[in-house]
Amino acid sequence: MIVADLPPALLTRRLNRGGLRLRTGPVVTSVRSSLASVARGIALHYAAHPVESADGFADFHVSVERPRTLRRWINRQVEFRFDGHAPFTPLPGDQGFPMLEWGLNWCVSSHCHQYLILHAAVLERGGRALILPAPSGSGKSSLAAGLAFRGWRLLSDELALIDLATGAIVALPRPISLKNASIAAVRAFAPQAEFSPVVHETVKGDVAHVKPPADAVRRADEHAMPAWVVLPRYVAGAEANFTRLSKARTFMQLVDNAFNYNVHGRRGFSALAALIDRVDCHEFSYSRLADAAALFERLATNPNR
């Protein structure tokens, strides 16, 4: 069963009561919420995701609700809770679905230490994985969204899960988070993409989420071996351009973008070193998604790049 198979009333009932057990790649999360905005967000963005048995195992138990204090009656807020505890400050009341997404990222990055986890988008083409590590504001998510609707399979928008035993990237396809001007840019580039309503005045500015392509969700069990590491950077007015990057500098960039490198010690070093040995390394600057997609098409079809 997938989320789209649940009638709206049943989806709402599961979210309100025992929790909806939602599978995203290797992770099962029990989600509870009485907020209509969260139910609508899950119905849209997770339509193709599997629903696990209500009495089955869940890696995480989370909820997004109104705070349990008197302030809930004075200033409408929402609160993310993990195993009954609230690890974050409450947010304004219209930010329920973004808070769920940010909370789910935190759950994986803070607890899934069976993987080496990078802050990076990952896409796949012909069995080869493209890793896009970059800080917020670099244009990483805009580029990932653009490529996901131009023949690349989305593995993840935010978290690259590296299998320590095999070096493969484990897929975690979830909604793509876009901010500010990138929302309009992706809408124009990929009119077939399905967006959530824009939420204004978050800590990240205006935020909207893009529904992951259904094929990416259906193929979540297919891992991919790394082939490229590309550090993207949006530069207004710039021509799309690749620049070769040394493996030593790329290694350090990946260390800087790793959530749990220190947890794995020598094993983490070995996993990153093996990854660097097998990939081509580049920096990439761009301003227009159409130009970027054309160059990445050449990258995917030219084995010598």
Side-chain angles (χ1 to χ4, degrees):
M1 177 184 292
I2 61 175
V3 170
D5 294 330
L6 297 175
L10 180 55
L11 173 62
T12 298
R13 187 158 62 248
R14 288 203 179 185
L15 287 170
N16 271 306
R17 296 181 182 175
L20 177 73
R21 277 168 167 71
L22 189 65
R23 175 170 291 281
T24 54
V27 177
V28 176
T29 305
S30 175
V31 182
R32 296 182 63 182
S33 182
S34 61
L35 302 178
S37 62
V38 172
R40 288 193 297 268
I42 289 175
L44 170 64
H45 293 295
Y46 290 94
H49 283 76
V51 176
E52 299 294 329
S53 171
D55 58 358
F57 174 81
D59 297 280
F60 305 117
H61 294 261
V62 307
S63 64
V64 179
E65 300 287 1
R66 304 291 181 202
R68 301 172 182 175
T69 65
L70 291 177
R71 292 191 63 187
R72 68 183 297 175
W73 307 111
I74 303 170
N75 184 18
R76 287 169 55 85
Q77 293 181 321
V78 290
E79 183 177 65
F80 178 85
R81 299 184 73 84
F82 169 77
D83 284 349
H85 302 284
F88 311 118
T89 302
L91 294 179
D94 63 343
Q95 297 182 24
F97 187 74
M99 192 169 206
L100 173 64
E101 288 301 300
W102 298 332
L104 293 180
N105 286 338
W106 174 82
C107 287
V108 174
S109 63
S110 299
H111 298 89
C112 289
H113 297 314
Q114 66 269 41
Y115 305 109
L116 178 63
I117 306 174
L118 307 179
H119 180 206
V122 188
L123 300 106
E124 174 266 340
R125 186 76 175 268
R128 298 181 293 171
L130 164 68
I131 301 172
L132 302 171
S136 180
S138 62
K140 165 186 64 67
S141 292
S142 303
L143 183 58
L147 295 178
F149 291 96
R150 285 296 188 276
W152 292 77
R153 175 170 66 103
L154 177 71
L155 273 69
S156 178
D157 167 45
E158 285 288 335
L159 304 173
L161 307 183
I162 302 173
D163 186 309
L164 290 162
T166 66
I169 306 296
V170 177
L172 186 71
R174 290 192 17 238
I176 303 171
S177 177
L178 298 176
K179 302 181 290 294
N180 304 315
S182 64
I183 299 171
V186 174
R187 280 189 193 276
F189 180 73
Q192 72 273 40
E194 296 184 70
F195 283 76
S196 66
V198 177
V199 179
H200 302 284
E201 298 182 355
T202 77
V203 293
K204 299 183 179 183
D206 293 348
V207 170
H209 288 83
V210 178
K211 179 181 178 179
D215 180 65
V217 178
R218 286 193 293 266
R219 298 172 60 190
D221 290 338
E222 297 180 27
H223 304 172
M225 295 304 297
W228 308 276
V229 173
V230 177
L231 276 61
R233 185 165 61 100
Y234 174 85
V235 181
E239 296 295 324
N241 183 57
F242 283 106
T243 304
R244 284 282 186 180
L245 194 62
S246 73
K247 288 184 179 284
R249 186 177 166 199
T250 305
F251 181 92
M252 295 310 300
Q253 289 285 342
L254 293 185
V255 170
D256 288 343
N257 281 276
F259 285 102
N260 60 350
Y261 180 75
N262 61 319
V263 171
H264 293 290
R266 180 176 295 180
R267 197 178 184 199
F269 173 86
S270 297
L272 274 191
L275 185 153
I276 290 294
D277 281 344
R278 67 176 297 126
V279 299
D280 290 334
C281 308
H282 306 269
E283 289 181 309
F284 179 71
S285 57
Y286 77 102
S287 61
R288 294 178 294 275
L289 281 173
D291 296 341
L295 261 65
F296 274 90
E297 181 68 22
R298 288 166 53 187
L299 183 74
T301 56
N302 182 355
N304 296 317
R305 279 302 298 265

